[in-house]
Every structure is written in structure tokens, then in C-alpha cells.
Amino acid sequence: MARIWAGLAVGFAALAVGSIASKDPGVPIRGGDLVTTGLLACLAWACWRARR
């Protein structure tokens, strides 16, 4: 079960980083982008904590 939680955590973390990194240069980061990134980061953190 720990592997599943760790895999989910890594996946959510990758999505969180990718959601900001995939923005085109010069395009401003808006509130919705930050909310989405924050939600994905929180899910990654929660999955990482649940793996124990």
C-alpha cells in the first residue's frame, strides 16, 4: 500500500510542477493557475504522509 501512496504523491507532485512549467513565456500566472498548483501540491503532500 505504501508504494501506491508514494506513486500517487510523485504523480501529483509532477502535475503540480508541470502545471506551472508548461506556461508559455510571457503569459502571466493567474489565480486559477495558483489554486490548481496548490491543490495538486496539497494532494501530493497528503499522499506522501499517508504512505506510512
Side-chain angles (χ1 to χ4, degrees), residues 13-51:
L15 286 172
V17 170
S19 68
I20 293 296
S22 65
K23 300 290 285 180
D24 289 328
V27 175
I29 297 172
R30 294 187 271 182
D33 299 327
L34 292 177
V35 168
T36 302
T37 303
L39 179 64
L40 290 168
C42 287
L43 285 170
W45 177 81
C47 288
W48 189 256
R49 295 286 294 176
R51 72 182 171 82

PDB file of all heavy atoms in Angstrom, residues 13-51:
ATOM      1  N   ALA A  13       2.841  15.501  -7.522  1.00  0.00           N
ATOM      2  CA  ALA A  13       3.919  16.488  -7.497  1.00  0.00           C
ATOM      3  C   ALA A  13       4.361  16.848  -8.919  1.00  0.00           C
ATOM      4  O   ALA A  13       4.607  18.015  -9.221  1.00  0.00           O
ATOM      5  CB  ALA A  13       5.099  15.960  -6.690  1.00  0.00           C
ATOM      6  N   ALA A  14       4.444  15.847  -9.772  1.00  0.00           N
ATOM      7  CA  ALA A  14       4.823  16.108 -11.169  1.00  0.00           C
ATOM      8  C   ALA A  14       3.776  16.970 -11.869  1.00  0.00           C
ATOM      9  O   ALA A  14       4.113  17.874 -12.639  1.00  0.00           O
ATOM     10  CB  ALA A  14       5.012  14.794 -11.909  1.00  0.00           C
ATOM     11  N   LEU A  15       2.519  16.704 -11.600  1.00  0.00           N
ATOM     12  CA  LEU A  15       1.455  17.536 -12.188  1.00  0.00           C
ATOM     13  C   LEU A  15       1.511  18.969 -11.665  1.00  0.00           C
ATOM     14  O   LEU A  15       1.275  19.916 -12.420  1.00  0.00           O
ATOM     15  CB  LEU A  15       0.088  16.920 -11.892  1.00  0.00           C
ATOM     16  CG  LEU A  15      -0.278  15.677 -12.681  1.00  0.00           C
ATOM     17  CD1 LEU A  15      -1.578  15.077 -12.147  1.00  0.00           C
ATOM     18  CD2 LEU A  15      -0.421  16.010 -14.152  1.00  0.00           C
ATOM     19  N   ALA A  16       1.818  19.117 -10.379  1.00  0.00           N
ATOM     20  CA  ALA A  16       1.895  20.454  -9.800  1.00  0.00           C
ATOM     21  C   ALA A  16       3.024  21.264 -10.446  1.00  0.00           C
ATOM     22  O   ALA A  16       2.843  22.427 -10.815  1.00  0.00           O
ATOM     23  CB  ALA A  16       2.111  20.370  -8.288  1.00  0.00           C
ATOM     24  N   VAL A  17       4.178  20.641 -10.597  1.00  0.00           N
ATOM     25  CA  VAL A  17       5.308  21.328 -11.225  1.00  0.00           C
ATOM     26  C   VAL A  17       5.015  21.587 -12.701  1.00  0.00           C
ATOM     27  O   VAL A  17       5.274  22.672 -13.220  1.00  0.00           O
ATOM     28  CB  VAL A  17       6.603  20.506 -11.053  1.00  0.00           C
ATOM     29  CG1 VAL A  17       7.731  21.073 -11.886  1.00  0.00           C
ATOM     30  CG2 VAL A  17       6.998  20.457  -9.589  1.00  0.00           C
ATOM     31  N   GLY A  18       4.447  20.609 -13.362  1.00  0.00           N
ATOM     32  CA  GLY A  18       4.155  20.749 -14.783  1.00  0.00           C
ATOM     33  C   GLY A  18       3.102  21.793 -15.088  1.00  0.00           C
ATOM     34  O   GLY A  18       3.120  22.415 -16.157  1.00  0.00           O
ATOM     35  N   SER A  19       2.182  22.007 -14.156  1.00  0.00           N
ATOM     36  CA  SER A  19       1.133  22.996 -14.407  1.00  0.00           C
ATOM     37  C   SER A  19       1.696  24.409 -14.484  1.00  0.00           C
ATOM     38  O   SER A  19       1.151  25.256 -15.190  1.00  0.00           O
ATOM     39  CB  SER A  19       0.045  22.914 -13.334  1.00  0.00           C
ATOM     40  OG  SER A  19       0.532  23.338 -12.093  1.00  0.00           O
ATOM     41  N   ILE A  20       2.782  24.674 -13.800  1.00  0.00           N
ATOM     42  CA  ILE A  20       3.417  25.991 -13.878  1.00  0.00           C
ATOM     43  C   ILE A  20       4.495  26.002 -14.955  1.00  0.00           C
ATOM     44  O   ILE A  20       4.637  26.961 -15.709  1.00  0.00           O
ATOM     45  CB  ILE A  20       4.023  26.378 -12.507  1.00  0.00           C
ATOM     46  CG1 ILE A  20       2.912  26.584 -11.487  1.00  0.00           C
ATOM     47  CG2 ILE A  20       4.869  27.629 -12.608  1.00  0.00           C
ATOM     48  CD1 ILE A  20       1.965  27.724 -11.777  1.00  0.00           C
ATOM     49  N   ALA A  21       5.248  24.926 -15.058  1.00  0.00           N
ATOM     50  CA  ALA A  21       6.363  24.877 -16.009  1.00  0.00           C
ATOM     51  C   ALA A  21       5.894  24.884 -17.461  1.00  0.00           C
ATOM     52  O   ALA A  21       6.636  25.298 -18.345  1.00  0.00           O
ATOM     53  CB  ALA A  21       7.214  23.638 -15.754  1.00  0.00           C
ATOM     54  N   SER A  22       4.677  24.449 -17.708  1.00  0.00           N
ATOM     55  CA  SER A  22       4.194  24.372 -19.088  1.00  0.00           C
ATOM     56  C   SER A  22       3.613  25.689 -19.598  1.00  0.00           C
ATOM     57  O   SER A  22       3.182  25.755 -20.748  1.00  0.00           O
ATOM     58  CB  SER A  22       3.143  23.269 -19.206  1.00  0.00           C
ATOM     59  OG  SER A  22       1.998  23.604 -18.444  1.00  0.00           O
ATOM     60  N   LYS A  23       3.608  26.706 -18.766  1.00  0.00           N
ATOM     61  CA  LYS A  23       3.093  28.008 -19.206  1.00  0.00           C
ATOM     62  C   LYS A  23       4.039  28.595 -20.251  1.00  0.00           C
ATOM     63  O   LYS A  23       5.246  28.465 -20.160  1.00  0.00           O
ATOM     64  CB  LYS A  23       2.991  28.975 -18.021  1.00  0.00           C
ATOM     65  CG  LYS A  23       2.074  28.531 -16.905  1.00  0.00           C
ATOM     66  CD  LYS A  23       0.636  28.560 -17.292  1.00  0.00           C
ATOM     67  CE  LYS A  23       0.143  29.981 -17.315  1.00  0.00           C
ATOM     68  NZ  LYS A  23      -1.247  30.071 -17.677  1.00  0.00           N
ATOM     69  N   ASP A  24       3.445  29.240 -21.239  1.00  0.00           N
ATOM     70  CA  ASP A  24       4.258  29.904 -22.257  1.00  0.00           C
ATOM     71  C   ASP A  24       4.971  31.106 -21.654  1.00  0.00           C
ATOM     72  O   ASP A  24       4.415  31.793 -20.786  1.00  0.00           O
ATOM     73  CB  ASP A  24       3.372  30.375 -23.412  1.00  0.00           C
ATOM     74  CG  ASP A  24       2.851  29.218 -24.240  1.00  0.00           C
ATOM     75  OD1 ASP A  24       3.573  28.211 -24.344  1.00  0.00           O
ATOM     76  OD2 ASP A  24       1.736  29.324 -24.765  1.00  0.00           O
ATOM     77  N   PRO A  25       6.193  31.383 -22.116  1.00  0.00           N
ATOM     78  CA  PRO A  25       6.905  32.552 -21.604  1.00  0.00           C
ATOM     79  C   PRO A  25       6.124  33.834 -21.914  1.00  0.00           C
ATOM     80  O   PRO A  25       5.585  33.999 -23.001  1.00  0.00           O
ATOM     81  CB  PRO A  25       8.230  32.537 -22.368  1.00  0.00           C
ATOM     82  CG  PRO A  25       8.385  31.139 -22.851  1.00  0.00           C
ATOM     83  CD  PRO A  25       6.996  30.610 -23.046  1.00  0.00           C
ATOM     84  N   GLY A  26       6.049  34.687 -20.953  1.00  0.00           N
ATOM     85  CA  GLY A  26       5.354  35.954 -21.134  1.00  0.00           C
ATOM     86  C   GLY A  26       3.889  35.915 -20.740  1.00  0.00           C
ATOM     87  O   GLY A  26       3.262  36.954 -20.599  1.00  0.00           O
ATOM     88  N   VAL A  27       3.329  34.723 -20.566  1.00  0.00           N
ATOM     89  CA  VAL A  27       1.938  34.603 -20.145  1.00  0.00           C
ATOM     90  C   VAL A  27       1.903  34.682 -18.624  1.00  0.00           C
ATOM     91  O   VAL A  27       2.603  33.930 -17.948  1.00  0.00           O
ATOM     92  CB  VAL A  27       1.319  33.271 -20.626  1.00  0.00           C
ATOM     93  CG1 VAL A  27      -0.084  33.096 -20.098  1.00  0.00           C
ATOM     94  CG2 VAL A  27       1.349  33.185 -22.132  1.00  0.00           C
ATOM     95  N   PRO A  28       1.131  35.605 -18.074  1.00  0.00           N
ATOM     96  CA  PRO A  28       1.114  35.744 -16.613  1.00  0.00           C
ATOM     97  C   PRO A  28       0.456  34.539 -15.934  1.00  0.00           C
ATOM     98  O   PRO A  28      -0.426  33.893 -16.499  1.00  0.00           O
ATOM     99  CB  PRO A  28       0.293  37.008 -16.381  1.00  0.00           C
ATOM    100  CG  PRO A  28      -0.544  37.162 -17.601  1.00  0.00           C
ATOM    101  CD  PRO A  28       0.247  36.568 -18.727  1.00  0.00           C
ATOM    102  N   ILE A  29       0.911  34.262 -14.744  1.00  0.00           N
ATOM    103  CA  ILE A  29       0.324  33.201 -13.929  1.00  0.00           C
ATOM    104  C   ILE A  29      -0.825  33.820 -13.148  1.00  0.00           C
ATOM    105  O   ILE A  29      -0.630  34.761 -12.372  1.00  0.00           O
ATOM    106  CB  ILE A  29       1.370  32.586 -12.986  1.00  0.00           C
ATOM    107  CG1 ILE A  29       2.473  31.929 -13.805  1.00  0.00           C
ATOM    108  CG2 ILE A  29       0.737  31.573 -12.053  1.00  0.00           C
ATOM    109  CD1 ILE A  29       3.646  31.449 -12.972  1.00  0.00           C
ATOM    110  N   ARG A  30      -2.025  33.311 -13.372  1.00  0.00           N
ATOM    111  CA  ARG A  30      -3.209  33.890 -12.744  1.00  0.00           C
ATOM    112  C   ARG A  30      -3.610  33.099 -11.507  1.00  0.00           C
ATOM    113  O   ARG A  30      -3.010  32.083 -11.175  1.00  0.00           O
ATOM    114  CB  ARG A  30      -4.342  33.928 -13.752  1.00  0.00           C
ATOM    115  CG  ARG A  30      -4.033  34.880 -14.895  1.00  0.00           C
ATOM    116  CD  ARG A  30      -5.203  35.054 -15.784  1.00  0.00           C
ATOM    117  NE  ARG A  30      -5.132  34.011 -16.812  1.00  0.00           N
ATOM    118  CZ  ARG A  30      -5.996  33.899 -17.799  1.00  0.00           C
ATOM    119  NH1 ARG A  30      -6.995  34.729 -17.891  1.00  0.00           N
ATOM    120  NH2 ARG A  30      -5.863  32.951 -18.691  1.00  0.00           N
ATOM    121  N   GLY A  31      -4.618  33.590 -10.835  1.00  0.00           N
ATOM    122  CA  GLY A  31      -5.082  32.990  -9.591  1.00  0.00           C
ATOM    123  C   GLY A  31      -5.511  31.543  -9.752  1.00  0.00           C
ATOM    124  O   GLY A  31      -5.235  30.703  -8.894  1.00  0.00           O
ATOM    125  N   GLY A  32      -6.213  31.234 -10.835  1.00  0.00           N
ATOM    126  CA  GLY A  32      -6.653  29.865 -11.063  1.00  0.00           C
ATOM    127  C   GLY A  32      -5.491  28.913 -11.230  1.00  0.00           C
ATOM    128  O   GLY A  32      -5.556  27.753 -10.804  1.00  0.00           O
ATOM    129  N   ASP A  33      -4.426  29.389 -11.852  1.00  0.00           N
ATOM    130  CA  ASP A  33      -3.224  28.571 -12.009  1.00  0.00           C
ATOM    131  C   ASP A  33      -2.603  28.257 -10.652  1.00  0.00           C
ATOM    132  O   ASP A  33      -2.168  27.129 -10.392  1.00  0.00           O
ATOM    133  CB  ASP A  33      -2.189  29.272 -12.885  1.00  0.00           C
ATOM    134  CG  ASP A  33      -2.699  29.557 -14.282  1.00  0.00           C
ATOM    135  OD1 ASP A  33      -3.501  28.754 -14.785  1.00  0.00           O
ATOM    136  OD2 ASP A  33      -2.294  30.586 -14.858  1.00  0.00           O
ATOM    137  N   LEU A  34      -2.575  29.259  -9.789  1.00  0.00           N
ATOM    138  CA  LEU A  34      -2.004  29.052  -8.457  1.00  0.00           C
ATOM    139  C   LEU A  34      -2.878  28.138  -7.610  1.00  0.00           C
ATOM    140  O   LEU A  34      -2.369  27.323  -6.842  1.00  0.00           O
ATOM    141  CB  LEU A  34      -1.805  30.395  -7.757  1.00  0.00           C
ATOM    142  CG  LEU A  34      -0.744  31.295  -8.364  1.00  0.00           C
ATOM    143  CD1 LEU A  34      -0.697  32.627  -7.633  1.00  0.00           C
ATOM    144  CD2 LEU A  34       0.610  30.630  -8.320  1.00  0.00           C
ATOM    145  N   VAL A  35      -4.193  28.274  -7.749  1.00  0.00           N
ATOM    146  CA  VAL A  35      -5.101  27.402  -6.994  1.00  0.00           C
ATOM    147  C   VAL A  35      -4.928  25.958  -7.437  1.00  0.00           C
ATOM    148  O   VAL A  35      -4.853  25.049  -6.603  1.00  0.00           O
ATOM    149  CB  VAL A  35      -6.563  27.869  -7.172  1.00  0.00           C
ATOM    150  CG1 VAL A  35      -7.538  26.836  -6.645  1.00  0.00           C
ATOM    151  CG2 VAL A  35      -6.777  29.205  -6.484  1.00  0.00           C
ATOM    152  N   THR A  36      -4.849  25.739  -8.738  1.00  0.00           N
ATOM    153  CA  THR A  36      -4.663  24.387  -9.258  1.00  0.00           C
ATOM    154  C   THR A  36      -3.341  23.799  -8.783  1.00  0.00           C
ATOM    155  O   THR A  36      -3.283  22.646  -8.331  1.00  0.00           O
ATOM    156  CB  THR A  36      -4.705  24.395 -10.797  1.00  0.00           C
ATOM    157  OG1 THR A  36      -5.941  24.942 -11.217  1.00  0.00           O
ATOM    158  CG2 THR A  36      -4.530  23.011 -11.359  1.00  0.00           C
ATOM    159  N   THR A  37      -2.281  24.578  -8.864  1.00  0.00           N
ATOM    160  CA  THR A  37      -0.972  24.108  -8.419  1.00  0.00           C
ATOM    161  C   THR A  37      -0.975  23.823  -6.921  1.00  0.00           C
ATOM    162  O   THR A  37      -0.434  22.809  -6.471  1.00  0.00           O
ATOM    163  CB  THR A  37       0.111  25.150  -8.754  1.00  0.00           C
ATOM    164  OG1 THR A  37       0.077  25.384 -10.155  1.00  0.00           O
ATOM    165  CG2 THR A  37       1.481  24.674  -8.351  1.00  0.00           C
ATOM    166  N   GLY A  38      -1.596  24.701  -6.150  1.00  0.00           N
ATOM    167  CA  GLY A  38      -1.683  24.493  -4.704  1.00  0.00           C
ATOM    168  C   GLY A  38      -2.471  23.254  -4.340  1.00  0.00           C
ATOM    169  O   GLY A  38      -2.085  22.498  -3.435  1.00  0.00           O
ATOM    170  N   LEU A  39      -3.565  23.013  -5.048  1.00  0.00           N
ATOM    171  CA  LEU A  39      -4.372  21.823  -4.789  1.00  0.00           C
ATOM    172  C   LEU A  39      -3.591  20.549  -5.104  1.00  0.00           C
ATOM    173  O   LEU A  39      -3.591  19.594  -4.323  1.00  0.00           O
ATOM    174  CB  LEU A  39      -5.651  21.871  -5.617  1.00  0.00           C
ATOM    175  CG  LEU A  39      -6.589  20.682  -5.484  1.00  0.00           C
ATOM    176  CD1 LEU A  39      -7.131  20.591  -4.065  1.00  0.00           C
ATOM    177  CD2 LEU A  39      -7.726  20.800  -6.468  1.00  0.00           C
ATOM    178  N   LEU A  40      -2.901  20.544  -6.237  1.00  0.00           N
ATOM    179  CA  LEU A  40      -2.096  19.375  -6.601  1.00  0.00           C
ATOM    180  C   LEU A  40      -0.958  19.154  -5.607  1.00  0.00           C
ATOM    181  O   LEU A  40      -0.644  18.015  -5.250  1.00  0.00           O
ATOM    182  CB  LEU A  40      -1.551  19.529  -8.018  1.00  0.00           C
ATOM    183  CG  LEU A  40      -2.583  19.426  -9.139  1.00  0.00           C
ATOM    184  CD1 LEU A  40      -1.980  19.884 -10.456  1.00  0.00           C
ATOM    185  CD2 LEU A  40      -3.118  18.013  -9.241  1.00  0.00           C
ATOM    186  N   ALA A  41      -0.344  20.238  -5.161  1.00  0.00           N
ATOM    187  CA  ALA A  41       0.740  20.113  -4.184  1.00  0.00           C
ATOM    188  C   ALA A  41       0.214  19.576  -2.853  1.00  0.00           C
ATOM    189  O   ALA A  41       0.870  18.746  -2.211  1.00  0.00           O
ATOM    190  CB  ALA A  41       1.424  21.459  -3.989  1.00  0.00           C
ATOM    191  N   CYS A  42      -0.959  20.022  -2.434  1.00  0.00           N
ATOM    192  CA  CYS A  42      -1.550  19.520  -1.192  1.00  0.00           C
ATOM    193  C   CYS A  42      -1.906  18.043  -1.310  1.00  0.00           C
ATOM    194  O   CYS A  42      -1.731  17.282  -0.359  1.00  0.00           O
ATOM    195  CB  CYS A  42      -2.787  20.332  -0.826  1.00  0.00           C
ATOM    196  SG  CYS A  42      -2.398  21.975  -0.209  1.00  0.00           S
ATOM    197  N   LEU A  43      -2.416  17.633  -2.462  1.00  0.00           N
ATOM    198  CA  LEU A  43      -2.710  16.220  -2.682  1.00  0.00           C
ATOM    199  C   LEU A  43      -1.432  15.380  -2.642  1.00  0.00           C
ATOM    200  O   LEU A  43      -1.418  14.283  -2.078  1.00  0.00           O
ATOM    201  CB  LEU A  43      -3.429  16.022  -4.016  1.00  0.00           C
ATOM    202  CG  LEU A  43      -4.892  16.439  -4.051  1.00  0.00           C
ATOM    203  CD1 LEU A  43      -5.412  16.416  -5.482  1.00  0.00           C
ATOM    204  CD2 LEU A  43      -5.723  15.556  -3.154  1.00  0.00           C
ATOM    205  N   ALA A  44      -0.355  15.912  -3.223  1.00  0.00           N
ATOM    206  CA  ALA A  44       0.926  15.203  -3.189  1.00  0.00           C
ATOM    207  C   ALA A  44       1.415  15.054  -1.753  1.00  0.00           C
ATOM    208  O   ALA A  44       1.858  13.974  -1.343  1.00  0.00           O
ATOM    209  CB  ALA A  44       1.964  15.938  -4.031  1.00  0.00           C
ATOM    210  N   TRP A  45       1.304  16.121  -0.984  1.00  0.00           N
ATOM    211  CA  TRP A  45       1.745  16.079   0.414  1.00  0.00           C
ATOM    212  C   TRP A  45       0.903  15.089   1.212  1.00  0.00           C
ATOM    213  O   TRP A  45       1.439  14.298   2.000  1.00  0.00           O
ATOM    214  CB  TRP A  45       1.654  17.480   1.015  1.00  0.00           C
ATOM    215  CG  TRP A  45       2.018  17.510   2.461  1.00  0.00           C
ATOM    216  CD1 TRP A  45       3.273  17.546   2.999  1.00  0.00           C
ATOM    217  CD2 TRP A  45       1.112  17.471   3.564  1.00  0.00           C
ATOM    218  NE1 TRP A  45       3.193  17.549   4.371  1.00  0.00           N
ATOM    219  CE2 TRP A  45       1.882  17.504   4.742  1.00  0.00           C
ATOM    220  CE3 TRP A  45      -0.266  17.434   3.669  1.00  0.00           C
ATOM    221  CZ2 TRP A  45       1.307  17.487   6.000  1.00  0.00           C
ATOM    222  CZ3 TRP A  45      -0.837  17.417   4.929  1.00  0.00           C
ATOM    223  CH2 TRP A  45      -0.051  17.440   6.075  1.00  0.00           C
ATOM    224  N   ALA A  46      -0.417  15.105   1.006  1.00  0.00           N
ATOM    225  CA  ALA A  46      -1.301  14.205   1.743  1.00  0.00           C
ATOM    226  C   ALA A  46      -1.010  12.738   1.394  1.00  0.00           C
ATOM    227  O   ALA A  46      -1.007  11.879   2.284  1.00  0.00           O
ATOM    228  CB  ALA A  46      -2.753  14.547   1.445  1.00  0.00           C
ATOM    229  N   CYS A  47      -0.773  12.465   0.126  1.00  0.00           N
ATOM    230  CA  CYS A  47      -0.445  11.094  -0.279  1.00  0.00           C
ATOM    231  C   CYS A  47       0.890  10.662   0.312  1.00  0.00           C
ATOM    232  O   CYS A  47       1.041   9.514   0.735  1.00  0.00           O
ATOM    233  CB  CYS A  47      -0.414  10.975  -1.808  1.00  0.00           C
ATOM    234  SG  CYS A  47      -2.029  11.060  -2.566  1.00  0.00           S
ATOM    235  N   TRP A  48       1.838  11.557   0.347  1.00  0.00           N
ATOM    236  CA  TRP A  48       3.149  11.227   0.907  1.00  0.00           C
ATOM    237  C   TRP A  48       3.035  10.925   2.388  1.00  0.00           C
ATOM    238  O   TRP A  48       3.670  10.009   2.911  1.00  0.00           O
ATOM    239  CB  TRP A  48       4.120  12.365   0.643  1.00  0.00           C
ATOM    240  CG  TRP A  48       5.530  12.014   0.986  1.00  0.00           C
ATOM    241  CD1 TRP A  48       6.240  12.408   2.080  1.00  0.00           C
ATOM    242  CD2 TRP A  48       6.402  11.159   0.235  1.00  0.00           C
ATOM    243  NE1 TRP A  48       7.493  11.870   2.046  1.00  0.00           N
ATOM    244  CE2 TRP A  48       7.626  11.101   0.932  1.00  0.00           C
ATOM    245  CE3 TRP A  48       6.262  10.457  -0.952  1.00  0.00           C
ATOM    246  CZ2 TRP A  48       8.695  10.359   0.469  1.00  0.00           C
ATOM    247  CZ3 TRP A  48       7.336   9.722  -1.407  1.00  0.00           C
ATOM    248  CH2 TRP A  48       8.531   9.677  -0.695  1.00  0.00           C
ATOM    249  N   ARG A  49       2.200  11.680   3.093  1.00  0.00           N
ATOM    250  CA  ARG A  49       2.003  11.441   4.525  1.00  0.00           C
ATOM    251  C   ARG A  49       1.242  10.136   4.757  1.00  0.00           C
ATOM    252  O   ARG A  49       1.470   9.462   5.766  1.00  0.00           O
ATOM    253  CB  ARG A  49       1.241  12.594   5.159  1.00  0.00           C
ATOM    254  CG  ARG A  49       1.968  13.920   5.151  1.00  0.00           C
ATOM    255  CD  ARG A  49       3.066  13.980   6.123  1.00  0.00           C
ATOM    256  NE  ARG A  49       2.514  13.916   7.462  1.00  0.00           N
ATOM    257  CZ  ARG A  49       3.222  13.873   8.557  1.00  0.00           C
ATOM    258  NH1 ARG A  49       4.524  13.896   8.482  1.00  0.00           N
ATOM    259  NH2 ARG A  49       2.654  13.793   9.729  1.00  0.00           N
ATOM    260  N   ALA A  50       0.338   9.783   3.857  1.00  0.00           N
ATOM    261  CA  ALA A  50      -0.486   8.591   4.031  1.00  0.00           C
ATOM    262  C   ALA A  50       0.288   7.305   3.737  1.00  0.00           C
ATOM    263  O   ALA A  50      -0.183   6.227   4.097  1.00  0.00           O
ATOM    264  CB  ALA A  50      -1.710   8.665   3.114  1.00  0.00           C
ATOM    265  N   ARG A  51       1.451   7.402   3.145  1.00  0.00           N
ATOM    266  CA  ARG A  51       2.194   6.196   2.781  1.00  0.00           C
ATOM    267  C   ARG A  51       2.747   5.460   3.989  1.00  0.00           C
ATOM    268  O   ARG A  51       3.122   4.310   3.894  1.00  0.00           O
ATOM    269  CB  ARG A  51       3.312   6.518   1.797  1.00  0.00           C
ATOM    270  CG  ARG A  51       4.452   7.249   2.401  1.00  0.00           C
ATOM    271  CD  ARG A  51       5.526   7.581   1.371  1.00  0.00           C
ATOM    272  NE  ARG A  51       6.503   8.464   1.952  1.00  0.00           N
ATOM    273  CZ  ARG A  51       7.520   8.052   2.716  1.00  0.00           C
ATOM    274  NH1 ARG A  51       7.706   6.783   2.940  1.00  0.00           N
ATOM    275  NH2 ARG A  51       8.359   8.924   3.218  1.00  0.00           N
TER     276      ARG A  51
END
